[in-house]
């Protein structure tokens, strides 16, 4: 099971974490990965200036609605 931690703290919330969560949920459903990928909300990953911070394993990425598709392709689909 792959776990994706999405920061929902103040800075990330203001920069659109809700939209990133929604888009990732859609992509997971579209690709029928619900039994392989888990989304979790976390408070502050320590990269507030790079918000929205998303963690996969030990790596933290800056994700927004413009690059969420690329993130999903490269960090989720490529690793499942």
């Amino acid at each position: 099971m792959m776990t994706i931690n999405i920061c929902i703290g103040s800075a990330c919330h203001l920069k659109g974490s809700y939209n990133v969560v929604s888009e990732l949920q859609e992509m997971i459903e579209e690709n029928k990965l619900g039994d392989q990928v888990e989304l979790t909300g976390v408070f502050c990953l320590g990269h507030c200036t790079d918000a929205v911070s998303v963690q996969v394993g030990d790596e933290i990425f800056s994700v927004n609605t413009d690059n969420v598709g690329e993130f999903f392709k490269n960090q989720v689909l490529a690793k499942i």
Side-chain angles (χ1 to χ4, degrees):
M1 172 77 67
M2 174 185 283
T3 300
I4 301 173
N5 296 315
I6 304 169
C7 180
I8 56 172
S10 300
C12 291
H13 173 74
L14 291 173
K15 291 189 176 185
S17 61
Y18 177 81
N19 296 330
V20 170
V21 168
S22 295
E23 290 196 32
L24 286 173
Q25 285 174 326
E26 267 185 45
M27 291 178 206
I28 290 167
E29 287 177 26
E30 288 172 1
N31 289 277
K32 297 176 175 48
L33 297 174
D35 60 338
Q36 297 175 61
V37 178
E38 176 183 44
L39 293 181
T40 60
V42 296
F43 288 100
C44 198
L45 291 168
H47 293 262
C48 301
T49 58
D50 299 327
V52 172
S53 297
V54 177
Q55 183 180 31
V56 179
D58 292 334
E59 292 184 82
I60 296 176
F61 303 89
S62 177
V63 181
N64 57 50
T65 54
D66 293 334
N67 68 7
V68 68
E70 182 180 341
F71 166 81
F72 188 78
K73 177 183 169 188
N74 295 333
Q75 301 303 322
V76 180
L77 291 178
K79 295 179 180 181
I80 293 285

